[in-house]
Amino acid sequence: MLDTVVVSRALRTRAGAVTLLGGLLLITSTAGGTPGAAPGTDPVDIAVGAGAAAGVGRGVGALADAQIPLYQQAVSVLPDGARDAVPSDALAVYLPGTRVPDPAAAVLAGAVGATPTTTVVVGPRAAASAAAEQHAWLAAGQVPGAGGPHEDLARAALLDLHSLTVADGVVVAGWSPRWRYVWPRDSAFVAVALARTGHVDDALAVLDFLAGVQAPDGSFHARYLPDGSGPPDDRGLQTDGTGWAMWAAGLVLAEVDDADRVAQAQRLAPLVERSAGRALSLVAGGLPPASPDYWEVAEGEVTLGTAAPLVAGLEQAAVVLDAAGLPGRAAAAATGAARARQAVVDAFGPTGYGRYATRTVPDAASAFVLAPFWAQPPPGAGAAWQASVPSMLRPAQGLAPGGGWRRDGVSWTPQTTLYAWVAAEQGDPAGAAHWLGVVERHRTPSGAIPEKLLADGAPAAVAPLGWSAACVLLAIDALDTARSSPT
């Protein structure tokens, strides 16, 4: 199957890649078709709807399998920091170990009438310079899983994150037009992934961007324009962003060298102080008000996806503010975290840490009350998280965002990779490897991690997706940490 051919692996030589391209161009010139795409499919996502709360995308309440195209297979890195989408039907060839298009392969593709990696004309010298810059960036950190079965996946995820970084501290969620914005939630996960892979300065820059767009009252809109000028639309505020910003600040600070820890804590303090102030006001009476969360839909009652990140954030705010020399504010954050935690346990514990406190609806947010989010998991949370899987499982063996999500056969890689990370943090390497394997087997032809997997496993929608790439890196890093820790 053509959608299993990857012509951009990191260690492939340039000569071998060009030779392979020639052969594959001849094959696909007669085979035709785009992996993951259905002819005539509208590239607008199917809207979220209610579905049955059990099964594997089949049975009562199930819908026909969704047919969503693959919008692009990767983002290429061009000279002078430019980026370009790699068409889904391209037989993409890059300079070894990079997302920089190989100029020789582009000439060959043009000669035989195939879709090249990019239509931007890039000279060999400029391409070599861009490749050297990307190599230098990779070398400045570490590739999790080096020498193991997940090294290639981790390297691809790092390349995905680098390709989505369009300016200092600005990591867009994806490259398709409706994803080419900065979501505070996604950026928080990316910052932690960058920090844990040795790119601490880049992680701090991501948090600087969030500090720059945050409102004085500590709130965040759903997403922002990459130039930091404000939100692109009227989606409105999303409360979980406030929690995720604090949570990421604490985890990034943990990766800072001891000698620089105080200075960087003080750098993060304004973002964390504003966030903590807003969070404390929201949970003053127990649970926060209803708000959209990572489902990106309006809600009439508070969800675990909103409440749990505020607890995680306030716990980390206490750490950051204490390190910054603000013990009084650190103590207030810690007290608020404990109060909010108890409110969440009291409300969501009886329904198995599902989406709502009023009824049992399994949800991927059950992961947010476990490590690496809450400092201590509440009683029964681990079992509830494991019990959420059957209702979320989809035909490609990935996960939907929740048991109440639309049953159209689509797996979502943000939640699938999130479960990989949480499994690794819970000491379940087999579980982590399982979820990583689902994603690894169904990447795009360039090896990028897509947002969605169709029922047949075809990669679909936007690719790469930064949130998924971040969770992949964090899962593999957690597996490395577990292996290196004394038993």
Side-chain angles (χ1 to χ4, degrees):
M1 292 178 59
L2 293 177
D3 66 348
T4 65
V5 177
V6 177
V7 298
S8 59
R9 296 303 188 201
L11 301 181
R12 183 165 294 158
T13 65
R14 177 179 175 182
V18 173
T19 301
L20 180 62
L21 174 66
L24 291 177
L25 287 173
L26 293 175
I27 294 171
T28 53
S29 65
T30 57
T34 301
T41 304
D42 191 329
V44 176
D45 287 344
I46 296 174
V48 173
V56 192
R58 297 292 182 272
V60 177
L63 305 173
D65 290 339
Q67 296 299 312
I68 303 168
L70 179 64
Y71 304 156
Q72 72 281 307
Q73 61 171 286
V75 177
S76 61
V77 175
L78 304 176
D80 300 321
R83 301 291 190 265
D84 192 26
V86 179
S88 59
D89 63 345
L91 284 169
V93 178
Y94 308 93
L95 294 179
T98 75
R99 286 278 194 262
V100 179
D102 188 324
V107 172
L108 178 58
V112 300
T115 302
T117 310
T118 178
T119 57
V120 177
V121 177
V122 181
R125 185 173 299 177
S129 177
E133 291 178 5
Q134 192 160 55
H135 278 304
W137 182 81
L138 287 170
Q142 304 87 39
V143 178
H150 302 303
E151 178 179 358
D152 184 72
L153 178 61
R155 192 177 298 275
L158 281 167
L159 290 174
D160 285 349
L161 289 187
H162 188 262
S163 68
L164 291 172
T165 302
V166 298
D168 190 29
V170 183
V171 185
V172 294
W175 195 250
S176 296
R178 293 189 296 121
W179 283 261
R180 206 176 300 174
Y181 304 112
V182 177
W183 271 260
R185 177 190 317 111
D186 297 45
S187 285
F189 279 76
V190 167
V192 177
L194 290 172
R196 290 195 172 177
T197 55
H199 302 281
V200 175
D201 288 343
D202 293 320
L204 290 165
V206 170
L207 296 177
D208 285 343
F209 179 87
L210 294 184
V213 297
Q214 185 182 39
D217 68 356
S219 62
F220 283 105
H221 279 271
R223 55 187 186 169
Y224 293 89
L225 293 164
D227 64 4
S229 60
D233 50 35
D234 60 355
R235 287 194 181 192
L237 302 179
Q238 290 191 358
T239 298
D240 64 334
T242 296
W244 291 129
M246 295 184 286
W247 167 79
L251 270 62
V252 168
L253 184 63
E255 304 302 319
V256 172
D257 292 338
D258 289 344
D260 201 29
R261 182 176 173 81
V262 172
Q264 298 306 334
Q266 292 172 345
R267 173 180 176 176
L268 294 168
L271 168 67
V272 174
E273 281 189 272
R274 290 191 296 266
S275 299
R278 177 167 179 81
L280 290 172
S281 67
L282 290 171
V283 300
L287 295 176
S291 167
D293 61 10
Y294 71 99
W295 279 35
E296 300 278 342
V297 297
E299 292 289 353
E301 59 182 297
V302 65
T303 64
L304 187 61
T306 291
L310 291 177
V311 176
L314 285 169
E315 288 183 342
Q316 292 300 325
V319 175
V320 174
L321 296 173
D322 184 64
L326 300 167
R329 294 180 182 180
T335 299
R339 181 175 63 246
R341 172 193 165 94
Q342 192 59 53
V344 171
V345 170
D346 291 345
F348 290 90
T351 58
Y353 294 100
R355 182 160 187 80
Y356 303 106
T358 56
R359 56 198 183 278
T360 300
V361 182
D363 194 82
S366 60
F368 298 155
V369 300
L370 301 173
F373 304 106
W374 284 20
Q376 294 293 329
W385 171 67
Q386 293 175 333
S388 70
V389 169
S391 66
M392 296 163 55
L393 198 63
R394 295 299 184 258
Q397 298 306 302
L399 299 172
W405 191 266
R406 187 180 186 94
R407 290 165 57 85
D408 57 2
V410 175
S411 300
W412 289 68
T413 65
Q415 284 66 54
T416 305
T417 57
L418 169 68
Y419 272 45
W421 185 22
V422 173
E425 294 280 358
Q426 306 312 303
D428 179 13
H434 168 75
W435 297 121
L436 289 171
V438 171
V439 174
E440 179 148 26
R441 291 190 298 272
H442 302 300
R443 290 185 282 161
T444 74
S446 285
I449 301 166
E451 180 189 44
K452 301 172 187 174
L453 309 176
L454 301 185
D456 64 359
V462 63
L465 190 74
W467 188 5
S468 301
C471 285
V472 159
L473 291 166
L474 290 163
I476 299 172
D477 173 72
L479 290 173
D480 285 351
T481 300
R483 279 193 294 267
S484 62
S485 299
T487 56

